[in-house]
Amino acid sequence: MITDSISVPREDRLSAIRTSKLFWPLAALALLLSFNLITDPSFFAIEYKNGVFFGSLIDILNRAAPVALLALGMTLVIATGGIDLSVGSIMAIAGATSAWLISHEVVNSLWLILAISLGVSLLAGLWNGLLVTALGIQPIIATLILMVAGRGIAQLITNGQVLTFSHEGFEMIGGGAFLGLPLSISIVICSYALALLLLRKTALGLFIESIGSNPIASHYTGIRSNLVKFSVYGVCGVAAGLAGLILTSDIQGADANNVGLWSELDAILAVVIGGTALTGGRFSLSTTLVGVVILQTLTTTILTHGLPVQYTLIVKSAVVIIVMLLMSAEFRHQMKSLFQRGQRSE
Amino acid sequence: MSDVEILAVTGLSKSFPGVKALNDVSLSLREGEVHALMGGNGAGKSTLIKCLTGFYSSDSGKVFLAGKDISSLKPDQIQTCGISTVHQEVNLIPTLSVAENIFLGRQPKIRGRIDWKTMNSKARAVLARLNLDIDVTQMLSSYSIAIQQMVAIARGVDMSARVLILDEPTSSLDLKEVEQLFSVMRRLTAEGTAIVFVTHFLDQVYAISNRISVLRNGHYIGTYEKADLPQNALISKMLGKTISDKTDSSTKKQSQDQDEKEVYLTASGIGKSGYIEPIDLKVHQGEVIGLAGLLGSGRSEIAKLLFGVVQPDTGRLYVQGTEQLFSSPRKAIQQGLAFCPEDRKKEGLIGELSVKENIILALQAKRGWYRALTGVQQEKIAKDFIKSLKIVTSDLNKPVKELSGGNQQKVVLARWLASAPSFLILDEPTRGVDIGAHQEIVRIIKGLSKQGLAIMVIASELEEVVDISDRVIVLKDRKQIKELSGDEISEANVLSSIAEGAL
């Protein structure tokens, strides 16, 4: 029977907040920020110069933009029970394509450059989708192929060199500002808004979660699992391409060897910190976004505190472990009972 | 077959929390006999086998192998004593060679290294005992399931099997392969090995075994010479019901004139080799068709064939007069079919999703992704079905896996009803459901058929099939053997049809 929810007692509401998927990632972020507040109050300073805002917080959001886009696609792929290791390489391909188009003066229109580069990224993503759905290759293997080959393709396009260029319009993508904030932030916000609209106002999100949760039952229910998966890999490709364009535009050059290197791991990490299970099923884009911001805040914090660069990765992984433990209900329960036992013995 | 007793089980009992799986079971096995172990679902066959092979330790009772008490030995010790088991699913390693599989864990060695030459020639010799001449250096997976099954047997036999337990070895074999297996079994028994043969195929029991033991609900019913136990007697012992002669008075319902009703679906000669023999079937609107038969008789197979889960290799399927080929469930759903599968967890529920989402899923899939049901619509549909099917849940948005079994079953039922089907296939709709929910579901099925829905019900409970159905199709050994309608429908008639078999 359905019990109509009347008034929710305060305690229940508190626990509802605590069991919300957003609570623990946000708590971790708050913890990280308050650490900065204590050790370095200037971390929160924001300046306004020449119509543009400056400051560590703005910097975090700006630098988080590429991984945020990667993590958007990655969340969806992971929700279907897959994974995409090739996003870093797709970034390189998209960057190389745009740089090649500009430096060889093939096209000059910004929109054409974007359309062609993102089109190539879409194809790359659909290639992954093809391997996973039509050929039934395990996602980790299927995308590993493009992870390796993709960087090679990008190097072929740039002839193995850093292809520099100058294009006034294109440079705006990574370097421009909108409403006083880096344009990349607006790109991320628009992408997430569009994705949420597409996923939650249609049945796509439900189908993705259904496929990830139980692929066989979904097939029996008449959901076109293969078509959905195929499209999701395509979307992931486009998102990765866009991330690649932001970075390429920012440095005004395509570095096929290094752009987006290892960033697929950051994207996966952000998804996991955001609480989407690697086994697929339920996903949440908003918590993924929080996960991205946590990762970038961490990196920036380490850098601004003047910690030697060689410690960065170790500190980062230590904090990631702590965040993961905090999010595990099992761990919290064990800590709680340990704490209570300690109190009783006193 | 000699009269020498090789294995003796006395007073074996085994309990699991809430269930007494074996209750004072005794069994005696003679050298060189094929001893069939029969029983329905939950009769205790697997538990008995696991107790014999040491995977479970029994609560009380003893097992003697050639006079020696082996009750408390570990699985590997029992294996070296001479009891080998070959399971339904071949549990060998598909990516290793045949020879490696036979000698895995006990490879012949020279100075610490594997002696491949000896191993391969020994493997060839072992297989030759079973009349099998194959390349033992090939990967196991390159051979058919039947051959893999034989390799498993060869492995067991080579580890000095005085007793060989075959647990449903024939369920995935075709006729020719079964014959091949039988000849291997005959050869082994001629050498003195005793074989415990577990199967659901009655005809195979009578083709190969010498004696038959029957278990029912954990109790030992008896051991019989094959000649003393005709098929109908065996079935009644397995089910605990007596089969009277064909004329039975305890029948039900007046026969309805099916010709008046419109034919919804026609299957003519639809089948798939090694899966189900070709069947002919007409489903009328507003009619409930029951599929009756023992476990493994091909009931679920028919459902999966009709619903496009498995594609037939012969025959034609017509829906409302038009020929259809269902290459996937989706195609079948678009033609108005719906299917509640037997394995609720694996094939039915989307555990993580909410009750509401599970209910609207099939309808939403039918509409396509872009024509999303609004939140209000979803809520209304879910609430309606929760009310009409009396689904007990505290919250629409609770993950469906947190519901009880009966309520989960109703959620799956609700999902298909929400998709407004014309033909609903229910495979074991009341399995794992408590009495109250059981009656509820039966009531719902009857109500739906009154509204003109064509329904096919598969159930192990004969009572249920007989109670619900307007027509009953009786299956045996993956063949359609009889169709009963109107007054003919009774438990006794179904049982005697199974016993008589076909042809």
Side-chain angles (χ1 to χ4, degrees), chain A residues 87-99:
Chain A
V87 288
S89 296
I90 295 179
M91 286 173 77
I93 293 178
T97 308
S98 61

Side-chain angles (χ1 to χ4, degrees), chain A residues 61-62 65 69 173 176-193 242 246:
Chain A
L61 293 181
N62 188 21
L69 290 170
I173 298 171
F178 179 67
L179 298 176
L181 292 172
L183 187 64
S184 58
I185 297 176
S186 306
I187 293 176
V188 169
I189 292 172
C190 289
S191 304
Y192 273 75
L242 197 53
I246 290 178

Side-chain angles (χ1 to χ4, degrees), chain A residues 107-177:
Chain A
V107 283
N108 199 32
S109 146
L110 173 64
W111 297 112
L112 257 179
I113 294 168
L114 290 181
I116 294 171
S117 307
L118 293 180
V120 171
S121 316
L122 174 68
L123 286 180
L126 291 179
W127 161 259
N128 286 331
L130 195 73
L131 293 185
V132 171
T133 56
L135 300 185
I137 301 177
Q138 286 175 16
I140 196 164
I141 304 297
T143 56
L144 189 62
I145 294 171
L146 192 60
M147 180 188 180
V148 176
R151 219 159 267 286
I153 293 168
Q155 283 164 357
L156 278 178
I157 297 172
T158 61
N159 241 334
Q161 291 149 356
V162 179
L163 206 56
T164 54
F165 57 83
S166 140
H167 184 288
E168 210 170 290
F170 190 74
E171 280 157 24
M172 292 296 289
I173 298 171

Side-chain angles (χ1 to χ4, degrees), chain B residues 216-242:
Chain B
R216 190 174 69 233
N217 296 331
H219 290 272
Y220 171 69
I221 304 300
T223 300
Y224 313 89
E225 293 290 335
K226 176 173 68 180
D228 302 340
L229 189 72
Q231 281 212 24
N232 55 0
L234 171 60
I235 295 168
S236 62
K237 285 193 190 316
M238 283 166 65
L239 298 175
K241 285 169 185 151
T242 44

